[in-house]
Structure formats: structure tokens, C-alpha cells
Amino acid sequence: MHWRNKRSQGALSSWLSLTLLTTVLIACSGAAAPPVTNPPTATTRSTQTLPASSPSNASQGASIPPRTGTVATPTVIAAGTRTTLSPTTGTPAPAAAGPPRSQPIMVPTGSSQTTATTQRSLTLPAGFQINLYAMGLGSARMMIWSPEGAMVLSDQGGGRVFILPDQNRDGVADEQIIFAQGLRRPHGLAFRDGYLYIALENQVIRLRWQGGAAAQGNPEVIIPDLPTGGHGTRTIGFGPDGKLYLAVGSSCNSCVEQDERRAAIFQYNPDGSGGRLYARGLRNAVGFVWGPNSNNLWATNNGRDNLGDDLPPETLNLVGEGNDFGWPYCHNGQIPDPQLASRGSCDQVTKPAVEFQAHSAPLGLAFYTGQTFPADYHGDLFIAFHGSWNRTVPTGYKVVRVQFQNGQPTGTVTDFITDWLPSGSRTAWGRPVDLSTGPDGSLYLTDDALGVVYRISYSGR
């Protein structure tokens, strides 16, 4: 599939100011909450620091035709001609057992390094419960399940990868095993052929899996010399085709990248060879996942800043080979960039599947593939909103549910867990990051502000 050419950067003589759109947030009040869940306790085992190996010779992909063109005045986005989907827009989803309700939960006192706890509250649909699975995990980010069914989690800020088993199946991690440490901002994780792959800021490595024990020996560098600076997360995953996929965010808010691996998803062989561009124009696709029993690749994307409180919308994207989602010249398939757009910048750009409130920062996402939630939740997609840092009125800091039918989103997007940003407050006490369906049928969620993992279960009560 060939790549279309786009217009290069040029000077624009003027640009009309973009209209700010008002997002109506619907607050839900609740009924009586279940008893407070105590925080988990666990023992910690550590392993030696793993030094970085010397880079190997892996292919970095073939070059693609540059974007070229002539400068023209971008299309004006006039007042009233565009709206965005907020997480509470659309047909209300059927409630499992009544309205959402607030539940108390004991969490660390505002720091990922403390063992002291305080009581907070979160709002979930009736019948669902939330408890702490593990705490004291630094900047807990992405997670995956080992062949034995244990959670494996990256601590990006602390340079560690944890193993968090729950052998007695009580919904709380039994211990914290440090699989590896001394790593450079570890983020994405993937299992393949007896190896745990770890995406660092500057390279992708793999270590032989030890069946739940600490790693032995030095890591093998699979993909070396990744670009650093700017967005520092590197997310990986193996697709149904057996290929390794790697997402690298942009180096900037809005600029013309010199490295084609930026703001893109690359595809590699499991040994790191054969690297090639798979899709581009995604400013920062921190999370991606394949649909259940399908080849459909779904990715979140964080839009650019400094266009106002409500532009551009954040997006969920169905990513296919050769797709160009437009960044930095075009946002959401139809909004020309005020600094970089040229005539035709939004022509033939792949449009998003779902739009969300701007600056919500959607990160990790997971399809619910368990059997313990009500039937109408099966196959739906859950997305963690990390929350805004530059919006006049903060937004995000929640988990939303995107309803799917026959493998496609229906357009119904609803809040699933809220109140990390309490109503009326401008300060959030937690920041959701990644989601995963566990072997027990519960939904698990990481929080890098508190260094915890939450477990969301359903009892119907």
C-alpha cells in the first residue's frame, strides 16, 4: 500500500481564532457504599541491576516519500460547525443494577513511595467493586500477564519491572518480585517464545523468562538506537501475525519530525529485524491493542496542545497498514494545523473511529474478555484517561467504557470509574494509566501518581 504525499511546512499570513467548545460533565451521586477495603501488603524480592548491552544491528525500516506541497490559507473552523464527543455523550448504556455509586477505598497519601494511606472515594456502576491489588510500585505504567498468570508491570520512573503474583486468588498481590531494575524508563511489555520483551526509551530489549523468578544475565538488545527526548514512552505488542509492533511518540507538540519512527507505529520481526513503517501521523499513541479474535489494531492518540480547551479532540483510532492520521499537518482528519497546514493537508487522511474531550489524555486500553462482568460488558473497550495538565478546567482522570458491537464501536461512550478528580476540585489525587482483563475475569488498572494497581470486580451487589 503506498503512502500519500503531504504538504511541507510554510508560513501562514493569518489564522482565525478557534472557538472554544464547552464540555458538560455529568456528575453522578451514589447510594451507600460497601465496607472499606484495606490496602494490600506484600513482601519485596529484588535482583541485580542489569546493565544495558551494546546495540545490535537491527533494521530500522525503509524510507518513505517525503511530504511535499504548496502553502495555502487553512480552512476556517467557524463557530457552531464542529462539536466533540465527550465521555458522557450518546445513548445511555443500560445499568447493571441501578445508578452508579461512590465507594470508599484506602490509597497511599498522595505519593507512590509512601506506605501511609488515606481514605478516598471512587464512583463505579452499581454492582462493581474496586480494591487495591498492590501498592508501592513507583510510577506504575503498563502491565501484562505471564504464561503462569502473574501480573508483570513496568515502573517507568523507577527503572524496574515487577512480578505481582496472586497465588491464593484473593484479589491482592502476594508479593512484589523485582524481575529487572536499572533500566532506562521501561514502559511497554510483551511475551514471546520464552522471552519477556521490554520497551525502554532508547531501545527494546528481551530477557529470558524465568517462570516468575528474577531475571538472570544481561538483556539482549532487539531494537537499538530509538530516538529519545520529547514523549518518552515506548509501547510494544505482538500482533496476530506474530510481528512485533512499536509505538513511539513525537518529539514535540507540533513540528516536522526528522526521524520517521516518531509519531508512528513500526512493525518488526520478533528478533528486531525487518523494521518498517506501519502507520504514521499519530502524535502520541501510548496505548494500542488488538480486538478480540480479530486483526483490528486499536490505538489511542493524544492531540496537540495550545489550540484551546476543546481542540483538537483526543481519539481512538482503527489502525491499518499504510494509514496516515495527519499529524502534524492535520488533526482528527479534518482540522488543519494553524502553523503547519497546507492546501490539501487533510485530504486522504485517515479519520478517527471515536473522539473524546480534548486534553483528557487517553493512554492504556483493554477489551473486556472475561466472563464475570454482566453480559452487556463483554467485548466492550475500556480506556484510561490520564488527565489534562494544560486545560482551563481540568478534565479526564477517569476510566471510560466504549461500547462495541460486531467488533466496531457503537458510538456510545460512558464514564465507568470517576472521581480521581473530585467534582468541583482542580486537583486530582490519582492518574489512571493502563488496563487489562485478568485471568480471574476482573479488570485491572494502574495509577502512576500513586504507584498502585486497582482491581475492579463484579458481584452484582
Side-chain angles (χ1 to χ4, degrees):
M1 181 176 293
H2 99 240
W3 295 87
R4 81 176 174 83
N5 293 333
K6 295 193 68 179
R7 280 43 175 184
S8 63
Q9 178 180 5
L12 299 179
S13 60
S14 63
W15 176 254
L16 297 180
S17 60
L18 299 170
T19 304
L20 300 180
L21 304 177
T22 302
T23 301
V24 178
L25 300 177
I26 301 175
C28 297
S29 59
V36 174
T37 303
N38 292 324
T41 58
T43 59
T44 301
R45 291 194 272 144
S46 64
T47 183
Q48 74 282 0
T49 298
L50 295 170
S53 301
S54 59
S56 61
N57 294 321
S59 169
Q60 294 303 314
S63 61
I64 60 172
R67 293 158 161 148
T68 60
T70 57
V71 176
T73 302
T75 302
V76 174
I77 305 171
T81 62
R82 180 174 177 78
T83 58
T84 63
L85 275 175
S86 75
T88 51
T89 298
T91 305
R101 64 188 183 190
S102 179
Q103 299 184 33
I105 183 170
M106 299 299 293
V107 297
T109 55
S111 170
S112 61
Q113 305 302 324
T114 183
T115 57
T117 59
T118 187
Q119 181 174 303
R120 300 285 190 176
S121 62
L122 292 168
T123 298
L124 296 85
F128 286 89
Q129 291 80 40
I130 187 167
N131 68 274
L132 280 192
Y133 179 75
M135 63 184 291
L137 303 171
S139 56
R141 294 289 291 190
M142 311 304 278
M143 59 185 152
I144 194 171
W145 299 92
S146 76
E148 299 80 18
M151 179 183 293
V152 181
L153 177 139
S154 61
D155 167 15
Q156 187 178 23
R160 300 173 292 182
V161 173
F162 288 100
I163 307 172
L164 304 169
D166 178 18
Q167 295 180 347
N168 62 4
R169 300 184 181 182
D170 65 350
V172 175
D174 304 320
E175 57 180 335
Q176 298 175 6
I177 303 167
I178 299 179
F179 175 76
Q181 60 185 332
L183 305 175
R184 178 167 172 172
R185 303 192 71 191
H187 194 254
L189 305 167
F191 277 100
R192 179 78 176 187
D193 296 333
Y195 288 96
L196 175 62
Y197 287 69
I198 307 172
L200 311 182
E201 182 181 16
N202 62 330
Q203 58 191 7
V204 177
I205 63 174
R206 69 181 181 185
L207 286 153
R208 179 67 67 177
W209 182 246
Q210 302 296 322
Q216 301 295 319
N218 291 332
E220 178 186 358
V221 177
I222 297 301
I223 304 172
D225 302 324
L226 292 177
T228 59
H231 291 117
T233 60
R234 308 288 178 258
T235 304
I236 54 174
F238 280 96
D241 57 2
K243 301 289 187 178
L244 177 64
Y245 290 77
L246 167 69
V248 177
S250 68
S251 65
C252 59
N253 181 47
S254 181
C255 66
V256 179
E257 297 284 6
Q258 301 304 308
D259 191 319
E260 66 177 356
R261 293 170 295 176
R262 285 287 195 178
I265 295 177
F266 258 64
Q267 181 196 75
Y268 297 86
N269 294 322
D271 64 359
S273 65
R276 67 190 187 92
L277 186 58
Y278 186 78
R280 69 177 178 185
L282 293 166
R283 177 176 171 270
N284 195 24
V286 178
F288 62 78
V289 67
W290 282 267
N293 305 313
S294 80
N295 294 319
N296 289 340
L297 175 60
W298 300 91
T300 56
N301 185 51
N302 291 190
R304 67 157 290 179
D305 302 316
N306 304 322
L307 295 185
D309 277 2
D310 298 302
L311 288 175
E314 312 283 39
T315 59
L316 171 67
N317 307 277
L318 177 56
V319 182
E321 184 176 358
N323 285 167
D324 184 349
F325 291 89
W327 184 92
Y329 307 98
C330 178
H331 310 289
N332 299 69
Q334 56 184 314
I335 305 175
D337 188 86
Q339 283 81 44
L340 300 177
S342 304
R343 180 179 292 116
S345 288
C346 290
D347 294 348
Q348 301 179 36
V349 167
T350 306
K351 291 180 170 54
V354 182
E355 294 182 348
F356 309 107
Q357 169 61 48
H359 311 302
S360 297
L363 300 186
L365 67 170
F367 285 94
Y368 181 72
T369 55
Q371 297 297 318
T372 62
F373 283 15
D376 62 324
Y377 284 82
H378 295 183
D380 286 349
L381 183 67
F382 293 84
I383 302 176
F385 282 10
H386 200 228
S388 58
W389 64 269
N390 65 337
R391 194 171 186 272
T392 303
V393 178
T395 190
Y397 308 100
K398 63 175 70 174
V399 174
V400 301
R401 172 192 176 196
V402 181
Q403 292 191 31
F404 268 63
Q405 186 173 6
N406 299 321
Q408 296 295 320
T410 65
T412 300
V413 182
T414 53
D415 291 343
F416 182 65
I417 310 176
T418 61
D419 289 347
W420 282 283
L421 178 67
S423 177
S425 174
R426 298 183 62 85
T427 303
W429 55 265
R431 303 196 76 180
V433 178
D434 191 29
L435 291 147
S436 181
T437 303
D440 63 345
S442 299
L443 191 65
Y444 290 79
L445 170 69
T446 62
D447 181 329
D448 65 351
L450 297 183
V452 304
V453 178
Y454 306 95
R455 174 178 175 266
I456 301 98
S457 58
Y458 181 80
S459 69
R461 298 190 299 273

